[in-house]
Amino acid sequence: MSLLRIFTSTFALLISTLIIAQDIIPCATPPVKSDWLKAYQKMPDNYAKAGDTTLYVPVTIHVVGTDVGAGYFSVPEILESFCVLNEDFSESNMQFFIEGEFNYIDNTAWYNHAQIATGYEMMIANNIPNTINCYIVGTAAGSGGYNLPSANAIALLNSNTANGSHTWAHEIGHNLSVQHPFLGWEGNPYNYNSPTPTEVYYNYTEFKPIFYTDTIIIDTALVEYVARTNCYEAADGFCDTPPDYLASGWGCNGDGVSIQLQKDPDDVDFRSDGGNFMSYATNACNGHFTPEQIAAMRANLLSEKPDYLYNQNPQNATITDAPVLVSPIDNESIPVNSVNLSWENLPNATHYYYEVNRLSSFSSAFLVTSGIVNGTTAEIEDLLLNTTYHWRIMPFNEGNSCAFFSEGESFTTDEAVGVEQIEGVEALNVYPNLLTSGQSLYIELITNQSLPLQANLYNLKGQLVQPIFNTNVNGVFSTSIQMDNVPAGMYLIGFQSNENVFYEKIIIM
Ligand SMILES: [Zn+2]
């Protein structure tokens, strides 16, 4: 082995150690059954579950960023993840809707919080009553997300919530009382070569809310048997969630069960169900809650959180039509550094996300500006001159965010050029520059060759107010236009010949 090789492998070892040190745990929800769940599991049949009725549950989305507003989980990512959340709960006949606008919070300490206690502080300061409060952050106390019962809210790590992740469904499962199928194994690595104990001890002191500062919390959980003899008491207390001892992220095989073989205390081999959203199996394995988990979540809403069920008719119809962009399109030339984007109204859409980008690929690194509006227009200001921009929209409503982007369109801002830059025009005179409504505006110009020439009146957003003329000019040309129906304001007259544009500013009093 060469010296260089030794250096390289040492370096690689250092890197991998670093990565391990920064590894996040999938979930930091306190691994403990709530009093409500304990009572429910004693007599689940005594709790109403509302049959097959769809239950609509409001969610407040808090988008946390740094002090300077960086690091937000992007709107398209929120919409895509919220769509996945509703798909994950469709079998449960529970659907979520976005309550109010997204709540943007600029606070670096909350955005990157290493301690649950800081997350607690963030939640208590910002929670909206009677909704499931979800905080999307950049560091979630070293985890992919957690539900904090003492603050009645959940935190989601932004990078762990995108790209088809089921983390949101997992944490809302916790929020609605359900625990991990491996309850008790949190922080206890399973070892196939050691006899499996009948009880596991687990310490969830680190998950404590701030008001337990001096208390160490240690609890025990029965280890669940394959034979289902203790399934109502062991682990999560549900009999239709099979045994699972895997408390760190794991992958599944082609049958959707753990690659890791496990042995119960009776030495019976089994593999864990990777499909359960409440397991730590990877997103690719996840796909369902069990009927008992679903029954508990529905009963929890109806008995413990009935105040959440105040709106059972949210706007959640699917948006099926493709968005149509109206203006500006086809690389239209905009005479100023502001523009009014407009698009067609879409059935079932109540909100539109728009974005303006420097590239037609809409690479997030080249995002210029973005926002959400309720109508079909958006004002964009402070653009650069002589620059091509691309824009697109994504429609959604409070209950259906399974949206898609429109096709991209483009426009170019033009810097006003001197009239001498229009080849062939020798002189141009527009007067008066300041005129009262109803007064005539005069235009005179001289060309030294035959030129196709058109003039249009624009407002300062670059919108066409009215055409003035469109003709072929050879030599001296003059015309006048009556400004009868033009409201007071500042306007631009754009003179265009072939590719060249010249703007003259006028004011109507
Ligand atoms: Zn969890």
Side-chain angles (χ1 to χ4, degrees), residues 276-333:
N276 201 304
F277 290 127
M278 300 312 293
S279 75
Y280 275 179
T282 58
N283 286 312
C285 308
N286 282 175
H288 65 85
F289 290 107
T290 65
E292 287 182 23
Q293 288 175 326
I294 292 168
M297 291 190 288
R298 292 177 65 88
N300 181 256
L301 273 172
L302 290 159
S303 87
E304 194 179 38
K305 295 158 185 149
D307 291 346
Y308 286 24
L309 304 176
Y310 55 82
N311 175 10
Q312 293 303 295
N313 293 296
Q315 166 63 276
N316 70 343
T318 308
I319 298 160
T320 49
D321 294 0
V324 177
L325 306 189
V326 174
S327 171
I329 59 171
D330 298 334
N331 201 25
E332 187 183 331
S333 172

Side-chain angles (χ1 to χ4, degrees), residues 270-466:
F270 71 94
R271 295 177 195 275
S272 300
D273 172 20
N276 201 304
F277 290 127
M278 300 312 293
S279 75
Y280 275 179
T282 58
N283 286 312
C285 308
N286 282 175
H288 65 85
F289 290 107
T290 65
E292 287 182 23
Q293 288 175 326
I294 292 168
M297 291 190 288
R298 292 177 65 88
N300 181 256
L301 273 172
L302 290 159
S303 87
E304 194 179 38
K305 295 158 185 149
D307 291 346
Y308 286 24
L309 304 176
Y310 55 82
N311 175 10
Q312 293 303 295
N313 293 296
Q315 166 63 276
N316 70 343
T318 308
I319 298 160
T320 49
D321 294 0
V324 177
L325 306 189
V326 174
S327 171
I329 59 171
D330 298 334
N331 201 25
E332 187 183 331
S333 172
I334 303 297
V336 285
N337 69 344
S338 62
V339 66
N340 205 39
L341 307 178
S342 69
W343 53 88
E344 286 182 8
N345 186 54
L346 268 183
N348 302 330
T350 55
H351 295 68
Y352 299 90
Y353 167 76
Y354 63 86
E355 64 179 40
V356 178
N357 198 294
R358 291 293 300 274
L359 299 184
S360 59
S361 65
F362 290 93
S363 159
S364 58
F366 292 88
L367 181 70
V368 175
T369 186
S370 64
I372 295 171
V373 291
N374 299 117
T376 56
T377 59
E379 284 185 31
I380 309 296
E381 289 175 336
D382 299 325
L383 296 169
L384 298 172
L385 290 167
N386 292 323
T387 304
T388 296
Y389 291 97
H390 302 267
W391 68 284
R392 60 181 179 173
I393 63 165
M394 184 187 273
F396 64 101
N397 61 46
E398 61 183 347
N400 195 309
S401 67
C402 302
F404 38 86
F405 272 114
S406 66
E407 296 288 314
E409 277 292 353
S410 62
F411 62 90
T412 299
T413 55
D414 282 315
E415 190 158 24
V417 296
V419 67
E420 66 278 5
Q421 287 174 255
I422 298 186
E423 198 185 338
V425 176
E426 287 197 331
L428 173 70
N429 192 17
V430 176
Y431 63 92
N433 293 119
L434 183 63
L435 64 169
T436 53
S437 185
Q439 196 177 352
S440 289
L441 178 77
Y442 297 90
I443 298 168
E444 295 167 350
L445 58 93
I446 302 168
T447 69
N448 59 16
Q449 57 184 268
S450 177
L451 278 182
L453 196 61
Q454 59 170 300
N456 295 301
L457 186 70
Y458 299 99
N459 65 21
L460 286 187
K461 295 198 181 308
Q463 295 165 317
L464 179 67
V465 176
Q466 66 178 75

Side-chain angles (χ1 to χ4, degrees), residues 27 29 170-171 174 180 280:
C27 171
T29 296
H170 177 106
E171 297 305 337
H174 283 315
H180 296 143
Y280 275 179

Side-chain angles (χ1 to χ4, degrees), residues 17 47 85 122 128 131 133 144 232 305 362 460 500-501 503:
T17 310
Y47 288 76
L85 172 68
M122 166 183 73
I128 303 293
T131 70
N133 285 277
Y232 283 122
K305 295 158 185 149
F362 290 93
L460 286 187
N500 305 307
V501 191
Y503 295 100

Side-chain angles (χ1 to χ4, degrees), residues 29-34 37 173-174 177-183 186 235-236 238 278 293:
T29 296
V32 60
K33 284 190 199 175
S34 67
L37 184 64
H174 283 315
S177 82
V178 175
Q179 275 296 335
H180 296 143
F182 53 89
L183 181 69
E186 289 87 350
D236 62 358
F238 295 119
M278 300 312 293
Q293 288 175 326

Side-chain angles (χ1 to χ4, degrees), residues 4 14 67 90-91 132 137 193 197 232 252 273 334 386 414 419:
L4 179 68
L14 275 173
D67 290 342
S90 61
E91 260 187 64
I132 298 183
V137 298
N193 297 315
Y232 283 122
C252 56
D273 172 20
I334 303 297
N386 292 323
D414 282 315
V419 67

